[in-house]
Amino acid sequence: MKKNVLKVLNDQVNAEFFASNLYLSMSSYFSSIGLNGFSTWMRLQYEEECEHALKIYDYILSRGEAVELGAIKKPQTKWKGVLEAVKAALNHEKEVTAMIYNIVDVATKERDYATVNLMNWFVNEQVEEEDSVSYLIDQLELAENNKASLLLIDRELGSRVSEE
Ligand SMILES: [Fe+2]
């Protein structure tokens, strides 16, 4: 594998682990303010991000290369409220999407179509991730700080999670 492709893939493994820590931190925050549905939902996001990291990790190994894990910076631990936290999650997903598009660019230039193929899965995944977080933001904005509505959204999130 070309060194520059390996470098951006490696960076992505670390970025996915950072995302998983960030979402676990949000999960803890939601639990601390009594929103257990949001907390459970974010915990599932945490698990998904770990899976993303491992998907790229396994791919690097399957290409006969080694993964270089790096230090993961401390995630934010407190937010002003649920809407601010969920907006931060969307911003983070947008950053991840930009990183994935960059990997597609680098891999395409190097004619590394196996990596492009793997990244296509991530491109689709990002559409879903951004869509589900945007939906939550819409719901929260509709609720407009109405506590009863917020609890309803929280319950819906919690029950949807247990259905899955
Ligand atoms: Fe991810």
Side-chain angles (χ1 to χ4, degrees):
M1 191 190 283
K2 291 276 171 57
K3 279 212 169 68
N4 52 347
V5 178
L6 181 59
K7 163 89 171 67
V8 286
L9 284 173
N10 231 317
D11 290 348
Q12 195 63 34
V13 172
N14 290 301
E16 300 288 345
F17 277 131
F18 171 73
S20 78
N21 274 8
L22 176 66
Y23 295 158
L24 192 59
S25 182
M26 284 183 182
S27 175
S28 163
Y29 166 72
F30 289 141
S31 174
S32 78
I33 59 171
L35 294 173
N36 288 346
F38 278 90
S39 178
T40 308
W41 188 82
M42 266 304 169
R43 193 186 169 109
L44 285 181
Q45 295 299 108
Y46 148 79
E47 285 173 8
E48 262 192 29
E49 297 310 328
C50 282
E51 283 169 22
H52 293 170
L54 290 175
K55 200 176 174 85
I56 302 169
Y57 170 96
D58 286 335
Y59 173 75
I60 293 172
L61 298 192
S62 76
R63 293 285 304 269
E65 305 284 354
V67 174
E68 199 178 315
L69 294 176
I72 298 167
K73 72 173 193 274
K74 185 178 190 271
Q76 201 173 324
T77 51
K78 283 195 186 104
W79 289 266
K80 280 195 201 113
V82 58
L83 183 59
E84 194 198 69
V86 177
K87 279 183 172 170
L90 179 62
N91 278 338
H92 188 70
E93 284 306 321
K94 285 182 174 170
E95 280 173 30
V96 169
T97 301
M99 287 182 80
I100 285 163
Y101 286 6
N102 179 56
I103 299 176
V104 175
D105 284 345
V106 173
T108 303
K109 265 181 213 138
E110 296 296 350
R111 309 190 74 212
D112 185 340
Y113 299 121
T115 298
V116 173
N117 210 20
L118 175 79
M119 283 304 125
N120 281 335
W121 183 89
F122 280 90
V123 168
N124 292 333
E125 178 70 12
Q126 285 310 113
V127 174
E128 277 177 37
E129 296 278 319
E130 287 188 25
D131 184 45
S132 62
V133 182
S134 296
Y135 170 76
L136 264 189
I137 291 172
D138 289 346
Q139 294 272 296
L140 287 168
E141 281 175 345
L142 280 172
E144 282 181 358
N145 296 325
N146 179 302
K147 289 209 167 93
S149 306
L150 182 62
L151 288 176
L152 216 60
I153 299 169
D154 186 63
R155 194 161 299 176
E156 193 205 322
L157 272 184
S159 67
R160 187 152 21 118
V161 160
S162 60
E163 277 165 25
E164 287 164 5

